[in-house]
Amino acid sequence: MTSIPTLEDLEAAFDGDLSGKRILVRTDFNVPLDNGEIVDDFRIRAALPTIEWLTDRGATVVTASHLGRPKGAPNPEFSMDRVRARLAELAPGVELRENLRFDPGETGNSPEFVAELIDGVDGYVNDAFGASHRAHASIVGPPQHVPSAMGRLLQKEVEVLLGLRNKPKHPFVAVLGGAKISDKLGVIEALLETVDSIIIGGAMCFTFFAAQGKPIGNSLFEPDMVDTCADLLAKAESMGKTIHLPDDITGTDAAGNFAQFGSRLGEGSIGYDIGPGSAAAFTDVIMDARMVFWNGPMGMFEDERFASGTRTVAQAMAETKAFTVVGGGDSAAALAQFRLDDEVDHVSTGGGASLELLENGDLPGLVALRPSAS
Ligand code: 3PG
Ligand code: MG
């Protein structure tokens, strides 16, 4: 694997002098918004080390990001105004282009849009780890035309996540949650090669329950993934790995009232969280690990009645002596909600990107930065 140029390599490409150079920095400022207000500016703050490194050297920094999923046309709901205002507080004088996805050329990776992006630009830095699994114009285009490098955030993310993949410390435990097994299938198969055990929570556990022939009431599950889950359970067993499933569930009964169940749910009941027994068992596994990767909540934690499974796992992540890494998205949001985000070793800024990097060991955005790629 040819190595990826760093900011120092970029500086060297300009004979050690970046002053007056216009550098396009692709950031992932796709922050959660509520009524137009930024709920969490984690991704903006995460880009500051790279931005400041460049401005300290006299470069003019132009940042660019997508926000939400506008459909290739301007849409005021997804304007960068709020993000621009926050960036101006954190990094005065740094430009931010309008939402990249207002142009269909971004997701379509059109040469015309790449040309527009690099117009008047001397160099390019990718610090958008969270978007580096997308082969979009702003991620893969500029490195073919101007001297390019990875920013500090991208560099750290790659180091930590590839460290899990290539230099695991055992016991290595993956904690996976969320609603859909179909989103996680590839990463589960890849993780089975390196981990000792996988803890499964969130609604995806019901597809595994269905594969075991257990009744799940009206709980969310993926009917077309039941056979796949049965195969995964068999495969894990043949590899000597453990898949830990919850053996109690919290949810609502047929009358819609809060209820605790074992691992068989009666007609009309719905599971929304792992139960306290499972949370305690999962805590033990996490406490005994030397490395833990967590992606996806254990239940519907936005509802306080169904937050305790996710909170218990978050507390175990904070307390274990293991090296702890949390994938972006919902699990990062859960950690922040419980104010435990400073208690783990690494919180990734990327949800899909961290899973894809663990699965494939590479990302389109990284491939594009390698000198051999152009
Ligand atoms: C994310 O929030 O996961 C990244 O910013 C990528 O966004 P996307 O899934 O809309 O490409
Ligand atoms: Mg720790």
Side-chain angles (χ1 to χ4, degrees), residues 106-109 131-141 364-365:
E106 167 64 356
T107 55
N109 187 19
S132 290
H133 58 317
R134 308 285 184 217
H136 293 172
S138 66
I139 299 287
V140 298

Side-chain angles (χ1 to χ4, degrees), residues 316-324 343-345:
M317 290 293 286
E319 277 163 32
T320 181
K321 296 268 185 294
F323 181 72
T324 46
E343 308 296 322
V344 297
D345 292 297

Side-chain angles (χ1 to χ4, degrees), residues 201-281:
M204 71 160 101
C205 77
F206 298 116
T207 310
F208 282 94
F209 282 6
Q212 294 175 321
K214 290 177 183 162
I216 58 169
N218 288 346
S219 305
L220 197 65
F221 83 119
E222 288 176 281
D224 53 350
M225 295 299 288
V226 173
D227 290 346
T228 306
C229 285
D231 292 346
L232 274 177
L233 291 169
K235 185 175 177 198
E237 199 181 333
S238 74
M239 295 172 79
K241 314 276 167 118
T242 312
I243 293 188
H244 300 277
L245 291 165
D247 52 22
D248 61 346
I249 293 292
T250 299
T252 54
D253 61 19
N257 296 315
F258 180 88
Q260 307 278 3
F261 311 103
S263 64
R264 306 177 76 86
L265 276 69
E267 229 170 276
S269 27
I270 303 178
Y272 289 115
D273 191 14
I274 60 170
S278 307

Side-chain angles (χ1 to χ4, degrees), residues 22-26 54 60-64 97 100 114 117-118 121-126 138 142 146:
R22 202 170 160 82
I23 308 294
L24 176 68
V25 182
R26 177 42 159 117
L54 290 164
T60 300
V61 172
V62 185
T63 55
R97 290 181 57 113
L100 292 164
V114 174
L117 287 173
I118 59 166
V121 157
D122 300 297
Y124 167 82
V125 172
N126 181 356
S138 66
V146 293

Side-chain angles (χ1 to χ4, degrees), residues 58-82:
T60 300
V61 172
V62 185
T63 55
S65 176
H66 71 286
L67 178 63
R69 291 180 176 172
K71 309 235 171 305
N75 176 341
E77 192 191 331
F78 298 111
S79 115
M80 296 307 277
D81 289 352
R82 286 302 307 143

Side-chain angles (χ1 to χ4, degrees), residues 28-30 43 66 68-69 101 130-131 133-134 136 349-353:
D28 184 358
F29 289 162
N30 187 23
R43 281 178 163 175
H66 71 286
R69 291 180 176 172
R101 291 186 186 171
H133 58 317
R134 308 285 184 217
H136 293 172
T349 51

